[in-house]
Amino acid sequence: MTLLLNMKNIERHYETPAGVVRALDGINIEIQEGERVILLGPSGSGKTTLLNCLSALDSPTGGTYTFHGAEVPRNHSEKMTSFRRENIGYVFQFFNLLQDLSVLENILLIQELAGKKDPQRAKDLLELVGLEAEINRFPGEISGGQQQRVAIARSIAKRPTLLLGDELTGNLDTETSQKVMTALVKACVQENITAVLVTHDESLVQYATRVIRIDSGKIVSDEQTSSTSEE
Ligand SMILES: Nc1ncnc2c1ncn2[C@@H]1O[C@H](COP(=O)(O)OP(=O)(O)O)[C@@H](O)[C@H]1O
Ligand SMILES: [Mg+2]
């Protein structure tokens, strides 16, 4: 096992006129490479704040955070941006595909922005998420679940070390969510990507290797699951 990241006593406090909001209040997490973590918790418990700190989109106000043994930058937007560019993939609840580009072009564009255009890999990734027949269609011509699978292929196109998702099935029905999650697990296993996925949908636990529950900015449980996915 290789340690990917380590958060020690991470705090994210907001000063507000009404007092201090402790969005994260002493978070301790070690995540090994290859883990798939589902992060569960009620609304307002700190899930999005934690993802934003994990991805260096936001800076903790206390504690230490290392990634592959190196301190993750904070309060320095350029260093935080390069950390994200080098390490992080992100899947959104609303797929954020470019509507005027085909499915394939959406992937090619991301590769181009990352400076490594590779049409064969783009096609392979779309096949991996089960969309080989849709590569020349436009986002408006495929279903929501298919669009989210395009978004997953896009987020892993640059080979992120860590894939993050915030309610990525929040906009999908149960059956479609299962398909999307199956595609995501397959992609993570094949590409050796670690994932941390926020949800309030308990049924997604079956796709995780570990489930962390958070409430009021604190971890209230942290358990390995007996996931029997295609590993
Ligand atoms: N910019 C902010 N200023 C003040 N409080 C905030 C801010 N952003 C988030 N919070 C508070 O931090 C807590 C955690 O929010 P969040 O991480 O978005 O929760 P979740 O994603 O679990 O719903 C909430 O109480 C929220 O109101
Ligand atoms: Mg949230």
Side-chain angles (χ1 to χ4, degrees), residues 47-48 166 198:
K47 303 182 297 295
T48 297
D166 199 350
V198 161

Side-chain angles (χ1 to χ4, degrees), residues 58-192:
D58 190 12
S59 299
T61 50
T64 61
Y65 174 26
T66 58
F67 194 96
H68 277 153
E71 231 173 279
V72 174
R74 58 177 79 165
N75 301 316
H76 187 301
S77 66
E78 281 144 57
K79 287 182 185 168
M80 290 161 78
T81 301
S82 13
F83 172 82
R84 284 199 304 280
R85 194 179 297 135
E86 282 160 32
N87 299 294
I88 307 293
Y90 210 94
V91 188
F92 303 91
Q93 178 174 358
F94 302 101
F95 327 123
N96 296 352
L97 300 175
L98 292 173
Q99 299 295 315
D100 296 338
L101 296 182
S102 72
V103 163
L104 180 61
E105 287 164 348
N106 263 279
I107 312 290
L108 293 174
L109 174 69
I110 288 298
Q111 290 180 329
E112 211 172 322
L113 293 175
K116 37 188 168 183
K117 207 164 172 182
D118 183 346
Q120 190 54 52
R121 175 167 162 78
K123 286 177 196 159
D124 290 347
L125 285 171
L126 288 166
E127 188 179 342
L128 181 62
V129 296
L131 292 175
E132 58 277 12
E134 280 81 18
I135 62 170
N136 293 318
R137 291 169 76 177
F138 289 86
E141 301 171 341
I142 59 177
S143 71
Q146 288 173 326
Q147 289 184 56
Q148 191 59 302
R149 284 187 274 150
V150 178
I152 289 169
R154 180 183 57 178
S155 68
I156 62 180
K158 63 166 198 181
R159 301 182 195 275
T161 312
L162 178 63
L163 183 68
L164 301 175
D166 199 350
E167 299 286 1
L168 70 99
T169 61
N171 214 26
L172 305 172
D173 63 58
T174 308
E175 199 190 326
T176 309
S177 297
Q178 311 286 329
K179 276 192 196 153
V180 164
M181 288 303 294
T182 303
L184 184 140
V185 169
K186 196 173 157 200
C188 286
V189 170
Q190 179 160 326
E191 300 271 314
N192 191 27

Side-chain angles (χ1 to χ4, degrees), residues 14 16 21 23 42-49:
Y14 293 101
T16 74
V21 176
S43 180
S45 58
K47 303 182 297 295
T48 297
T49 307

